[in-house]
Amino acid sequence: MRKAMIKVTTIGALGASFVLPGFATEASAASVTVKDKKLVYKKSGKTVKGFYEYKGTLYKNGKKNKGYALVGADSSMKLYYNTSLKKGYKTAKNNRYLFKDGKLAKGYKTASKNQRLYYNGVLTKGYEVYKASNGARYLYQNGYLKKGLKLATRQGETVLFKDGVVAKGHTVFKNKLYTDGVLNVAFTQVDDKYYQYGILANGVIDGKNYKDGIVVEKPVELTDEQVIEQLKAKMAASQTELTELHAQELEVASLIKQVEEKTAGATQANKIKAKSVQEATEAIERAQTLLANASTAEELLSALEQLQAAQKVLEATIQKEVNVLLADATQMLEIAERAASRDTAAGAITAQELIKLATQVVDTVVNTYGNVPTINLNLDGYKAQLAAAQKTLDSNPQNPNPPSNNGNTDSPLPPTVPVIPPTTGGGNENNGGNENNGGNENNGGNENNGGDNEAVTLEKALAEINMAYMQGDPYVEREIGVADPVILTIVKYAAILGIDLTDYQAVEIPENITFELNSFNSLTVEKVTTGFNDAVDAQKHSEEQFIQSIEQLLTSEIEDKDKQYQLANQITEYHKMVGYSRVAYDALVAYKQQEDENYSLVLPLDADYSSVKSILAVLDAAVKKESAGLSEADLAFFELQASFKDSTIAGVKYAAAHAQVLGLDLTGYNELELPQSVAITDSFSNIDAFKALWNAAVVEQLQKEQEALTAVKGATKDNIAQVLAQYGEVLQLPLLASSSGQFPGELESILNAALYENVKDATTIKAIQQGVAPVRLAFIAAFLPINDFMGSSSDFDDEFDTAQSNEEKLAIIKKYQSKIAALYTSNGTANSVEQQIRVELLKVLQDEFQRMWYSLLLGAADVLGLSAYIDNGKFPTPEDVTVENKAQAQQFLILIKSYTGIEKEILEQEVLKRIQVTEDYENATFDEYVEAFEQAIEAAK
């Protein structure tokens, strides 16, 4: 049923675009034969080098293979034992790969009693929570069970793991109490200490005084910091409780509708009164069972009474939780006011954080229950305290980030991703993918960005992290040895973000840590913290795995001579995992193998192999020693080839840096503004061939740059966006480049107006990049909320696949339909470039949202067993109702009548498109269609 949620390539929807060595490649079944027990080429009679499978038998260098052999690359890799594919399960390459019957094992598979996790035969990357067939959950890091304690959040649930399995019993982790892996919010005693809301109990609880989890005689006066900690924990627990209650409430309302449809006209006593949420849950379960079976009207009436009583209990419980949450938010604002009144920058920062947290929590409550008549939201006290706290903060002379909304207390803080131009521009020498991309001493080329002389707020820190993240290209692999600018920026603001850098500082090669997400998504504190910690943990694990692999080789039972030969191969195999460039090593081996095809670099066994850096130092020293006395020009050529194997950018950089020894002319190259864009994709076997490729590529890049500059200079305020889009790839303007150079709807005129003034006087590419940068960031910031939702199909899949019942599946479908409807109706005053762009994007994607919503409707029909009845979405007419399909018709009618508001409008459009093609309903309305259906069901007897 994954088809219910249709994934959309959103960038595409907007019109934007963004053989192992030694294998016998010349051989074919017709060109080889076996002669004197050797595999040879028919014409020349020479032995077939490398591995080759002939008539089901594997040969190596012409002879039948002996022992294990790993053949092929990537997904086509195969494992042989002697001459045939290895039967059964078998791992290879230090457990990196898992094979079944000689081929990479498909799907998720565990090995060694759940110690390792593979996907399509390869150890999984990063963190992965895996649910076994028995329901047990495991946490893996780079394919191995994660050692120690680690929190992981999946499908909205945060679970504590210990050594890769859910932590059993009571566990205190980072000063919070978890029970069987879940945060324990109940009042609980563990050993000699008490916890409440997951943290040490403080203050008065049930008439007793507590201080740091211990009962004391005298009342305890809590500090603001302790109260804040309690409030955060308590509010988080209340939010979780409200989420669960709200889901139950929606389920009850849906069930009541279904039962009322089946008992229309019958009378009921309505005397049953549920007394607790537990009884309400039992009433839901009973109603679900009765609806699933052929129940009598009397049974259904009884169920209806219980559901209505359960509904009242849930409403009362929700009202109580809402009141508590509003009171806690108001108390948090009181502390914010006190903090702001201290007239210090620290007090102002604390006040801003508390105001933001309180308003986020209350906004969620208002969005959920603002239009629910049975829930009373008394916001007067909260609003008064919010205004007082904001006023005090505004008057704080040390406030480093005064609000720009002129005292509007409904939204006192700037957005998560403010659109502000970077100090150095969006694609200059220190930012945008060229020689100094994020790896220089000034962290992005901007000494004061964020402020050495200016107090920095959490919002400013997040803004700079978001900009570092957005200005990168998520589809371009970062070069080895170049630090990730996002990681550098997070480290810079670690104290403000509340991130502990202990583990980061323990990493040996921090330049290899990479902040990764699958696509552009707005970064919150939670995402930044989780992403950073995961990235650090991944690098730590890679380094530990690297050291362990060397230790295993050194302590293995093979002969010392073989160890010396294998060490270099073992070290370089892990080069990307630890951030090591193997260019010099590969060049040396290629150079030496000209004379000796069996050459291997020999490393000493008595060297220091205790750390990553010491291991790499041993290898570097050996490479340097072996390279001494070799021809500098020849070695440079092999290093050039090795650099291009890493990446085109790395190769071009190497060529420019070693131009003299390579004999390259840099005259044209030095005229380029974007030298890293020189494109050399063809292979070359000698330096003369490379020089020809180099000269042609430089000339081509010069022509591209000149053509782009001329086009932009000649652009007008009516076509500047189209011109920049057409030349976006040349100008290095990711996310604004378009193969067609066109933008949908009114988007082009909005971009024209925003871009023209910024770039009309630009005379260089870098000036163009600087002018485009703020508009590009506005485009991304407008797109992020849409993209966050459009990328949520995997979340839907995960939730849907783990649902235990049809009711749960329907609730999940309804939830995502509501999310779509919220985006579908999203509008507002377009008083900024970002808002104007977002409004236009929503207009363009409205049809897509509607199609996704309708796809989910078909998914709901599928869950209810109605796929055949609605004929794959064509929809039946009232005339199709018969005695035989009456029950299905009733279920179908209940489903389509359950939608209201904008969702009903979406449904109307989709239904009418399908039924108005028939003569009887050519001019019918949706309500007339429903009424006719009801009459047809009533008449079917």
Side-chain angles (χ1 to χ4, degrees):
M1 243 299 293
R2 288 179 180 268
K3 62 185 179 182
M5 184 67 165
I6 296 181
K7 296 186 179 181
V8 180
T9 306
T10 51
I11 296 293
L14 296 174
S17 59
F18 309 79
V19 204
L20 294 180
F23 251 88
T25 55
E26 59 178 300
S28 68
S31 65
V32 301
T33 186
V34 175
K35 185 177 181 181
D36 297 331
K37 297 183 179 180
K38 282 190 176 182
L39 187 69
V40 298
Y41 294 106
K42 288 181 179 179
K43 288 185 178 181
S44 65
K46 291 182 179 180
T47 301
V48 177
K49 296 294 184 181
F51 288 106
Y52 188 80
E53 185 178 357
Y54 178 66
K55 294 186 177 181
T57 299
L58 182 68
Y59 292 82
K60 179 182 179 182
N61 295 331
K63 297 180 180 180
K64 288 185 177 181
N65 181 63
K66 292 184 179 181
Y68 285 103
L70 199 57
V71 177
D74 301 324
S75 60
S76 62
M77 203 182 307
K78 295 179 181 179
L79 180 65
Y80 290 82
Y81 182 66
N82 293 332
T83 60
S84 59
L85 291 171
K86 170 65 179 173
K87 296 296 183 183
Y89 283 101
K90 179 66 179 176
T91 59
K93 283 284 184 181
N94 291 320
N95 297 322
R96 185 179 299 180
Y97 302 108
L98 176 66
F99 294 86
K100 182 183 180 184
D101 296 333
K103 298 179 181 180
L104 289 170
K106 297 296 184 184
Y108 282 102
K109 294 286 187 295
T110 60
S112 189
K113 296 182 179 179
N114 297 315
Q115 291 296 307
R116 297 188 302 275
L117 179 66
Y118 297 83
Y119 181 68
N120 287 341
V122 184
L123 278 174
T124 54
K125 296 285 184 69
Y127 284 100
E128 191 87 41
V129 175
Y130 175 72
K131 190 173 184 180
S133 57
N134 63 359
R137 287 175 292 184
Y138 299 89
L139 176 63
Y140 295 88
Q141 182 186 28
N142 292 336
Y144 288 82
L145 285 176
K146 168 64 180 171
K147 298 296 182 184
L149 293 170
K150 177 68 178 175
L151 286 172
T153 302
R154 295 294 185 275
Q155 300 174 29
E157 183 183 12
T158 299
V159 177
L160 179 65
F161 291 84
K162 182 178 181 181
D163 295 333
V165 299
V166 176
K168 300 297 183 184
H170 296 309
T171 307
V172 177
F173 180 62
K174 293 186 177 180
N175 300 319
K176 291 186 178 180
L177 175 64
Y178 295 84
T179 301
D180 292 334
V182 180
L183 184 68
N184 188 341
V185 298
F187 184 69
T188 306
Q189 180 182 3
V190 178
D191 298 330
D192 59 343
K193 292 193 175 182
Y194 293 85
Y195 293 80
Q196 189 177 41
Y197 307 118
I199 60 176
L200 288 171
N202 276 298
V204 179
I205 302 173
D206 293 335
K208 292 183 179 180
N209 301 309
Y210 293 85
K211 181 178 181 181
D212 296 331
I214 298 174
V215 178
V216 295
E217 292 184 6
K218 296 181 180 179
V220 178
E221 186 173 345
L222 301 180
T223 65
D224 279 351
E225 288 73 19
Q226 288 175 313
V227 175
I228 290 170
E229 184 184 23
Q230 279 192 334
L231 287 173
K232 286 181 177 179
K234 186 180 177 185
M235 290 165 73
S238 292
Q239 285 182 291
T240 301
E241 179 70 13
L242 273 176
T243 300
E244 294 173 356
L245 289 169
H246 185 54
Q248 281 189 303
E249 183 188 33
L250 292 176
E251 192 168 19
V252 166
S254 175
L255 288 169
I256 287 176
K257 275 188 176 181
Q258 293 179 53
V259 176
E260 283 178 339
E261 290 286 346
K262 290 194 173 186
T263 58
T267 58
Q268 55 178 320
N270 202 20
K271 296 178 180 179
I272 298 177
K273 293 183 180 180
K275 298 178 182 179
S276 66
V277 175
Q278 176 60 37
E279 290 186 15
T281 303
E282 293 170 359
I284 293 172
E285 293 173 352
R286 181 169 184 268
Q288 289 171 338
T289 301
L290 289 173
L291 281 169
N293 299 306
S295 306
T296 65
E298 184 179 358
E299 288 175 322
L300 288 173
L301 280 175
S302 173
L304 181 59
E305 292 181 52
Q306 293 188 30
L307 285 171
Q308 289 169 337
Q311 190 175 46
K312 293 187 180 299
V313 169
L314 291 173
E315 288 171 354
T317 308
I318 289 172
Q319 182 68 68
K320 182 180 177 181
E321 287 292 339
V322 165
N323 292 344
V324 170
L325 203 52
L326 290 175
D328 289 341
T330 304
Q331 185 180 359
M332 183 170 280
L333 292 173
E334 292 172 359
I335 299 174
E337 184 181 7
R338 288 201 297 273
S341 67
R342 296 173 191 151
D343 289 350
T344 63
I349 290 173
T350 298
Q352 282 182 322
E353 292 175 1
L354 296 179
I355 290 173
K356 182 177 180 180
L357 177 57
T359 52
Q360 285 177 338
V361 170
V362 174
D363 285 350
T364 301
V365 173
V366 172
N367 289 338
T368 305
Y369 298 106
N371 295 318
V372 179
T374 56
I375 303 299
N376 177 30
L377 297 182
N378 186 355
L379 300 173
D380 294 343
Y382 161 78
K383 286 184 176 180
Q385 188 56 57
L386 175 59
Q390 188 64 50
K391 183 177 180 181
T392 305
L393 176 61
D394 292 347
S395 62
N396 183 330
Q398 300 296 319
N399 184 0
N401 187 32
S404 57
N405 57 0
N406 300 320
N408 178 5
T409 57
D410 289 333
S411 181
L413 295 176
T416 304
V417 190
V419 180
I420 51 179
T423 305
T424 58
N428 54 30
E429 288 183 357
N430 295 325
N431 197 346
N434 53 22
E435 294 185 5
N436 296 321
N437 182 10
N440 56 35
E441 294 179 358
N442 294 330
N443 186 17
N446 179 355
E447 291 184 1
N448 293 317
N449 188 5
D452 293 331
N453 303 315
E454 175 189 14
V456 181
T457 65
L458 181 64
E459 284 69 34
K460 283 189 176 181
L462 270 177
E464 189 172 333
I465 292 167
N466 267 290
M467 283 192 290
Y469 178 60
M470 290 185 224
Q471 287 167 349
D473 188 334
Y475 307 106
V476 175
E477 186 175 0
R478 193 166 43 84
E479 292 178 70
I480 290 176
V482 178
D484 186 340
V486 180
I487 293 292
L488 292 176
T489 312
I490 294 172
V491 171
K492 180 178 177 181
Y493 295 119
I496 295 173
L497 294 163
I499 292 177
D500 184 355
L501 291 180
T502 304
D503 288 343
Y504 173 80
Q505 291 161 347
V507 169
E508 290 197 64
I509 315 292
E511 296 81 9
N512 201 51
I513 300 172
T514 304
F515 189 96
E516 292 183 355
L517 290 178
N518 291 331
S519 61
F520 280 124
N521 292 277
S522 52
L523 297 180
T524 62
V525 174
E526 181 182 3
K527 286 182 182 178
V528 168
T529 303
T530 301
F532 177 81
N533 290 335
D534 285 355
V536 171
D537 284 348
Q539 179 63 19
K540 279 178 57 184
H541 182 77
S542 294
E543 293 180 0
E544 291 167 0
Q545 194 175 345
F546 173 62
I547 295 171
Q548 288 171 6
S549 72
I550 304 302
E551 289 176 350
Q552 288 172 0
L553 176 59
L554 290 170
T555 56
S556 64
E557 296 180 357
I558 64 176
E559 294 184 8
D560 286 352
K561 183 179 179 181
D562 291 334
K563 291 179 184 178
Q564 288 180 295
Y565 279 107
Q566 291 185 30
L567 266 171
N569 287 333
Q570 185 83 335
I571 293 171
T572 52
E573 185 178 332
Y574 283 83
H575 77 293
K576 286 190 176 181
M577 291 178 67
V578 294
Y580 176 75
S581 173
R582 53 182 288 174
V583 167
Y585 168 81
D586 285 342
L588 172 67
V589 172
Y591 188 112
K592 290 283 192 178
Q593 285 183 349
Q594 291 179 109
E595 298 179 355
D596 179 6
E597 63 180 10
N598 296 317
Y599 171 82
S600 292
L601 181 63
V602 177
L603 298 184
L605 298 181
D606 57 353
D608 181 6
Y609 294 102
S610 61
S611 69
V612 174
K613 289 185 176 178
S614 66
I615 294 170
L616 298 180
V618 172
L619 178 63
D620 285 338
V623 170
K624 186 175 181 180
K625 181 179 178 181
E626 285 282 282
S627 301
L630 301 180
S631 166
E632 183 182 6
D634 288 347
L635 194 59
F637 174 73
F638 284 115
E639 288 187 350
L640 178 69
Q641 284 187 318
S643 297
F644 271 97
K645 284 182 182 178
D646 269 359
S647 70
T648 301
I649 291 178
V652 170
K653 281 186 179 181
Y654 183 89
H658 299 81
Q660 186 172 357
V661 68
L662 292 169
L664 295 180
D665 181 2
L666 292 184
T667 304
Y669 179 83
N670 290 331
E671 295 176 14
L672 294 171
E673 284 198 73
L674 304 173
Q676 71 279 4
S677 294
V678 172
I680 299 176
T681 56
D682 293 337
S683 59
F684 49 90
S685 57
N686 56 64
I687 191 62
D688 290 333
F690 176 74
K691 286 179 182 178
L693 292 172
W694 171 267
N695 292 331
V698 169
V699 169
E700 183 182 4
Q701 181 61 20
L702 278 168
Q703 291 173 342
K704 285 182 178 179
E705 289 189 9
Q706 190 56 51
E707 182 183 345
L709 266 175
T710 302
V712 174
K713 287 178 183 178
T716 68
K717 61 182 178 181
D718 295 323
N719 71 348
I720 183 66
Q722 182 180 5
V723 171
L724 287 169
Q726 287 176 326
Y727 291 94
E729 186 175 350
V730 177
L731 297 170
Q732 291 189 355
L733 300 174
L735 291 190
L736 279 186
S738 168
S739 57
S740 65
Q742 296 179 345
F743 295 93
E746 296 296 318
L747 194 55
E748 186 163 343
S749 61
I750 294 170
L751 292 174
N752 279 331
L755 288 166
Y756 185 69
E757 292 300 319
N758 290 15
V759 300
K760 66 178 181 180
D761 298 322
T763 58
T764 65
I765 289 177
K766 289 170 184 172
I768 294 172
Q769 291 174 332
Q770 289 175 343
V772 171
V775 181
R776 174 175 171 258
L777 288 175
F779 188 101
I780 296 171
F783 182 67
L784 285 176
I786 300 171
N787 192 52
D788 284 348
F789 169 75
M790 298 292 264
S792 66
S793 59
S794 60
D795 295 335
F796 172 86
D797 289 344
D798 290 342
E799 290 184 46
F800 193 88
D801 289 347
T802 55
Q804 301 298 313
S805 65
N806 284 347
E807 287 72 21
E808 288 181 22
K809 291 179 179 179
L810 286 173
I812 292 166
I813 288 173
K814 289 270 192 173
K815 180 176 78 171
Y816 278 85
Q817 283 182 311
S818 297
K819 285 186 177 184
I820 293 171
L823 278 175
Y824 183 86
T825 57
S826 186
N827 52 42
T829 305
N831 55 11
S832 71
V833 174
E834 177 186 335
Q835 289 172 320
Q836 291 173 20
I837 292 172
R838 181 171 295 144
V839 167
E840 287 307 311
L841 293 179
L842 289 168
K843 286 180 183 177
V844 171
L845 291 171
Q846 205 165 66
D847 288 344
E848 187 62 40
F849 293 151
Q850 186 167 322
R851 185 183 65 79
M852 293 169 70
W853 188 95
Y854 180 68
S855 175
L856 285 167
L857 175 68
L858 298 185
D862 190 34
V863 169
L864 293 170
L866 298 175
S867 293
Y869 178 72
I870 65 173
D871 193 13
N872 294 319
K874 294 179 181 177
F875 278 94
T877 62
E879 285 71 23
D880 297 325
V881 178
T882 65
V883 174
E884 289 76 16
N885 66 21
K886 180 177 179 180
Q888 289 182 310
Q890 287 175 320
Q891 274 194 308
F892 168 69
L893 192 59
I894 292 170
L895 175 63
I896 64 174
K897 287 179 66 177
S898 68
Y899 295 103
T900 59
I902 188 62
E903 291 191 83
K904 181 183 176 184
E905 293 178 23
I906 298 174
L907 179 63
E908 284 180 345
Q909 294 176 48
E910 293 297 329
V911 171
L912 294 179
K913 265 193 282 186
R914 289 160 175 78
I915 66 167
Q916 286 182 342
V917 296
T918 60
E919 184 177 346
D920 292 341
Y921 295 94
E922 187 175 357
N923 299 308
T925 66
F926 179 75
D927 289 336
E928 289 171 344
Y929 171 73
V930 170
E931 183 180 355
F933 230 104
E934 290 173 334
Q935 293 172 353
I937 290 172
E938 180 65 27
K941 296 180 180 178

